Amino acid sequence: MIQTLRKPDRIVQPCGFCGGCGHGVIQRLIAECLEELGISDRAINCVDIACCFWTLDGMDLDGIAGPHGRLPAVATGIKKTRPDDIVYIHAGDGASYTIGIAETVHICLRDVPVTMIVVNNGVFGMTGGQMSLGTTLLGQATTSTPRGRNESSNGSPGDFLQALSQFDFEFAARGALYSVKEINRTKQLIKKGFQNQMEKKGFSLIEVLSACPTNWHLSPVAANKRVEEVVAAQFPLRVYKDRGGMSDG
Amino acid sequence: MAGRKAYADVSLCKGCGLCVEACPVQAIVQTTQLNEKGYEVIQVDADKCIGCGSCYTTCPDYVYEVR
Ligand SMILES: Cc1ncc(C[n+]2csc(CCOP(=O)(O)OP(=O)(O)O)c2C)c(N)n1
Ligand code: SF4
Ligand code: SF4
Ligand code: SF4
Ligand SMILES: [Mg+2]
């Protein structure tokens, strides 16, 4: 039988994101994984106050928004009190690796069985494209570094996924969205994060390299090209840790 | 995949061009036609479409159904 491809039923509103934004693809990948695994009814979407916030209304799921950068703490509380629910976080790089890095470290150390999806677009998207200390690349022009990020005055970015993966938790991997192949691979990583939760395994952290065409001042096609050629060279796409064992296929 | 075709609900389209780039057989073109939200939308040439699903996978605004 020929498979029909159509948007999951749990996506109930048109996207509020800018044209070409990766958040919309990620929302669909999440909804597809939940649907295919049959866990939409017990999923709880923990959204940050940033561009991902659109998913709170956009998806017909239980959901909660929390203070910027603090969703790992919110999700930890929910998972501890509702251990059979599927709790996931949809947050940005600014929230997860800069403003809320303490909370991200704590959920890794506690190894809470939650699935965290970090959308790394290298800027504070929602507030207008300012530099994100952890992820904005050297030389990258942003609203707050208009002449390009300069090491001596702005410091350097770091590979937080790689650094965090030194801790003892379940799964850490990085995907991207710049081609059909990478989108499909990212979906498998997200699905693995949910399956780990279903199997009562530990914390899963999936980072997705994503474009913010609006704040990068690039067309969506050029922005995706930048992710492929520039960003992925700095932040390699691979599985960083997998206690249960998953080949990087 | 034989017989499967892409159908576009262009009322949702934001004219981002990602599907145009992703289609392996150039079946999607950018037009200057505006939708109700004021975006210039795409158009699919059903004769060229091979039903591969790349547009569905790529579109951030869920414009496509491939059936
Ligand atoms: C405690 C706190 N600090 C700052 C803000 C303002 N703020 C809202 S979203 C945001 C940055 C968003 O960047 P990111 O987390 O990377 O998400 P994106 O919008 O890029 O997806 C900031 C600084 C806030 N809402 N709360
Ligand atoms: S500002 Fe950037 S991250 Fe936010 S919706 Fe627009 S393109 Fe997406
Ligand atoms: S299904 Fe494939 S061939 Fe048809 S329009 Fe979409 S990308 Fe092009
Ligand atoms: S990817 Fe979607 S929103 Fe972008 S031009 Fe194609 S149909 Fe329109
Ligand atoms: Mg960001």
Side-chain angles (χ1 to χ4, degrees), chain A residues 23 48-52 68 92-95 99 121 123-127:
Chain A
H23 276 290
D48 196 68
I49 309 285
C51 287
C52 50
H68 184 57
D93 54 301
I99 298 171
N121 56 22
V123 288
F124 291 172
M126 169 152 272
T127 46

Side-chain angles (χ1 to χ4, degrees), chain A residues 3 5 17 24 27-28 32, chain B residues 2 4 14 56-57 62 66:
Chain A
Q3 198 202 347
L5 299 174
F17 312 112
Q27 173 178 255
R28 196 194 68 233
E32 285 176 354
Chain B
R4 198 168 74 162
K14 292 180 184 156
Y56 168 86
T57 303
Y62 325 137
V66 185

